[in-house]
Amino acid sequence: MEGKKNAISILLLPWLAHGHISPFLELAKRLTKRNFHIYMCSTPVNLNSIKNSVTAKYSKSIELVELHLPSLPNLPPYYHTTNGLPLHLMDNLKRAFEMSSPNFSKILQTLNPDLVIYDFIQPWAATCASSMNIPAVQFLTFSAGILAFAFHIFEKPGEDFPFAEIYLRKYEMLQMKKTMEESKDDKSPFDKALRKSRDFILVKTCKELEGKYMDYFSSLVSKKIVPVGLLIQDTVSEDDSEEITQWLDKKEKNSSVFVSFGSEYFLSKEELHEVAQGLELSNVNFIWVIRFPQGENNSNIKDALPKGFLERVKDRGMVLEKWAPQATILKHKSIGGFVSHCGWSSFMESMKFGVPIIAMPMHLDQPMNARLVEYIGLGVEVLRDDNGKLQSEEIAKVIRKVVIEESGKDVRKKVRELSEKMNMKGDEEIDGVVEELLALCKNK
């Protein structure tokens, strides 16, 4: 390992999902500009996916550190990530991650960082650090509103949540209960990890956007909440994106939508058909990235989509498999809407690039993020039927409203204004983060 010189060293340990690893890496990049040396710790398969993002500019100040998980049945090393992981293996991955704590302890003994920053369900990481007198701080990549909502339910059952704009519909509550029952999950790992954080908790948000939720969350957990800002990744020129950029260059300004449901949710065949028919009915240009779980043989785009769909939309639609340069696409002048699952990182990217959201939440925190999208004025949610099923006509209607029609003018204006405001701020929240981290290391 290269010497840290005089820099304070921090080891970052995100959860094994791209939506967590990406903001941890962006936090790392910003901290290196304040004379911190960063160890980015994750599984080899995850580190391999981000190594190109650690450009020569950061190569001396960000070191990638491999954490090896124990072998479990049906969980080979290429499954040591949530990207492409079949849903039924998620519990196995969580268990393997927790079982890696002895390996994590050895890493801490070898590197002896000044501080550890860990993710949402990893109390064992804080315990390992504490045993070596290394302070540990939790960094949460969810919105403050969702965190406040979740802890309100746990801490004040039966009491109304004080912010009525964040809520779950009946079918979403049923879905959440089912998920918790299937995973045998409760607040315990999250709560323990949160309580072990020293003095304060870092949250991926900004005060102007979520100040009231930050304050309420702080009151529930009795810790200071420190916002880290948007943490949007730099757009890098990729050889793979040249064809996409050229395709977008031919489209009129704000005439197209980008369609993505994240790296962890895989649309059912029924959902794929409703989205496809919605895009076709909308008559709006689109780029759609479709993903299938790893190991699903015989899965291909043509067979998954409605018969003849690709031929019918070939002049105004591009369908990609597995990957798309999301930030590069969203910042392009021809993009006028983002058909999104409302993951928090996607929410932030839309805001940074001034792209209104066509909200289609799928699970976890996404329904509540979608409520925030509408409340803040960043987009419009696609309503489902009483059973939570998508409807192609509704998808088409919302796409046209957000991108084309006069009725969506206020949303488009609000997004532009908020984007300009956030971009003028830059990374000023990081100064507050640095102040807290330095004080903690000094106390050590």
Side-chain angles (χ1 to χ4, degrees):
M1 292 287 177
E2 188 169 315
K4 310 184 280 191
K5 300 180 181 176
N6 296 320
I8 290 174
S9 62
I10 302 179
L11 186 142
L12 303 186
L13 183 69
W15 165 236
L16 306 174
H18 179 75
H20 291 247
I21 293 166
S22 179
F24 267 72
L25 180 58
E26 294 310 310
L27 176 61
K29 290 177 179 179
R30 284 150 181 81
L31 290 176
T32 62
K33 296 174 184 176
R34 272 77 169 181
N35 199 34
F36 288 88
H37 185 90
I38 305 298
Y39 298 114
M40 187 76 177
C41 183
S42 193
T43 57
V45 64
N46 276 325
L47 295 181
N48 188 56
S49 72
I50 64 168
K51 64 183 181 182
N52 290 337
S53 299
V54 183
T55 56
K57 177 181 175 183
Y58 299 105
S59 60
K60 292 183 179 179
S61 50
I62 298 178
E63 295 185 47
L64 303 182
V65 179
E66 292 187 353
L67 175 66
H68 294 277
L69 273 53
S71 297
L72 291 181
N74 302 317
L75 202 72
Y78 63 80
Y79 274 160
H80 291 172
T81 174
T82 66
N83 190 6
L85 182 75
L87 288 177
H88 72 277
L89 293 177
M90 186 63 75
D91 282 345
N92 287 20
L93 182 62
K94 289 177 182 176
R95 189 165 69 254
F97 195 34
E98 185 172 352
M99 289 169 64
S100 73
S101 60
N103 292 340
F104 182 65
S105 289
K106 290 176 184 176
I107 289 170
L108 292 184
Q109 289 169 358
T110 301
L111 299 178
N112 190 29
D114 296 300
L115 177 71
V116 168
I117 298 179
Y118 63 101
D119 213 330
F120 75 123
I121 51 169
Q122 295 153 220
W124 51 269
T127 300
C128 291
S130 178
S131 70
M132 299 177 207
N133 197 32
I134 300 170
V137 172
Q138 192 170 40
F139 172 33
L140 299 173
T141 59
F142 306 104
S143 79
I146 277 38
L147 293 167
F149 181 83
F151 261 78
H152 174 91
I153 291 174
F154 290 132
E155 302 293 337
K156 300 184 177 183
E159 287 189 31
D160 289 339
F161 186 56
F163 310 104
E165 65 271 12
I166 299 178
Y167 61 92
L168 288 174
R169 298 188 173 98
K170 185 177 179 180
Y171 66 82
E172 292 163 344
M173 285 294 292
L174 292 172
Q175 183 187 56
M176 179 172 283
K177 286 178 181 176
K178 182 181 177 184
T179 300
M180 291 178 71
E181 287 168 2
E182 288 176 350
S183 65
K184 302 179 180 63
D185 199 9
D186 57 21
K187 80 159 184 170
S188 183
F190 185 20
D191 188 40
K192 286 179 181 176
L194 188 146
R195 304 293 179 190
K196 285 178 178 290
S197 186
R198 290 275 193 94
D199 305 325
F200 60 91
I201 300 164
L202 303 175
V203 178
K204 183 185 172 181
T205 191
C206 45
K207 201 166 184 68
E208 292 87 346
L209 188 66
E210 291 200 291
K212 63 180 181 180
Y213 309 130
M214 287 170 51
D215 292 341
Y216 187 59
F217 181 45
S218 177
S219 73
L220 289 173
V221 298
S222 302
K223 288 184 185 290
K224 183 177 181 180
I225 307 302
V226 180
V228 300
L230 304 186
L231 295 185
I232 304 302
Q233 66 180 356
D234 300 326
T235 53
V236 292
S237 57
E238 299 270 357
D239 293 338
D240 294 339
S241 66
E242 186 176 346
E243 181 184 353
I244 295 169
T245 302
Q246 289 176 352
W247 187 88
L248 287 168
D249 286 343
K250 296 174 184 176
K251 307 302 177 187
E252 294 181 15
K253 185 177 180 180
N254 299 328
S255 68
S256 311
V257 294
F258 176 54
V259 187
S260 174
F261 297 94
S263 60
E264 295 181 44
Y265 187 84
F266 309 105
L267 297 178
S268 66
K269 187 158 189 176
E270 181 185 359
E271 289 170 332
L272 279 166
H273 278 230
E274 291 297 330
V275 173
Q277 289 163 7
L279 290 169
E280 189 170 357
L281 286 170
S282 74
N283 284 318
V284 170
N285 304 320
F286 65 88
I287 291 183
W288 182 9
V289 57
I290 297 176
R291 297 178 177 89
F292 302 104
Q294 285 192 49
E296 276 203 4
N297 297 325
N298 305 319
S299 293
N300 66 76
I301 286 175
K302 189 169 184 179
D303 289 344
L305 293 170
K307 188 175 181 180
F309 171 77
L310 293 174
E311 290 75 18
R312 292 193 299 274
V313 300
K314 63 181 180 180
D315 293 330
R316 62 178 181 85
M318 175 181 278
V319 181
L320 308 170
E321 187 171 357
K322 293 184 181 179
W323 178 86
Q326 182 161 302
T328 299
I329 292 171
L330 288 176
K331 73 181 293 188
H332 196 281
K333 60 181 175 58
S334 74
I335 294 295
F338 183 10
V339 179
S340 173
H341 64 312
C342 293
W344 191 235
S345 290
S346 292
F347 181 112
M348 293 295 199
E349 282 189 328
S350 259
M351 189 163 55
K352 178 178 173 62
F353 298 123
V355 179
I357 295 174
I358 295 96
M360 290 173 55
M362 295 296 167
H363 63 163
L364 304 175
D365 61 326
Q366 296 160 17
M368 292 165 283
N369 289 339
R371 311 295 116 82
L372 279 175
V373 163
E374 287 208 317
Y375 176 68
I376 295 168
L378 293 176
V380 179
E381 184 175 357
V382 174
L383 296 180
R384 299 169 181 245
D385 68 17
D386 292 340
N387 297 313
K389 302 290 187 183
L390 291 170
Q391 303 168 89
S392 57
E393 295 85 357
E394 183 68 19
I395 294 170
K397 184 178 81 174
V398 177
I399 289 174
R400 290 191 61 80
K401 175 179 179 177
V402 169
V403 178
I404 296 172
E405 293 174 357
E406 183 71 15
S407 58
K409 184 174 68 174
D410 289 344
V411 168
R412 296 191 288 271
K413 180 183 177 185
K414 181 69 179 284
V415 174
R416 284 195 303 270
E417 291 173 349
L418 196 53
S419 175
E420 289 169 5
K421 183 178 179 180
M422 291 300 163
N423 287 326
M424 283 179 65
K425 280 185 58 181
D427 291 327
E428 67 180 45
E429 282 96 353
I430 295 298
D431 294 334
V433 174
V434 168
E435 186 178 327
E436 298 289 348
L437 298 181
L438 288 176
L440 191 57
C441 291
K442 192 177 292 185
N443 289 338
K444 175 196 172 187

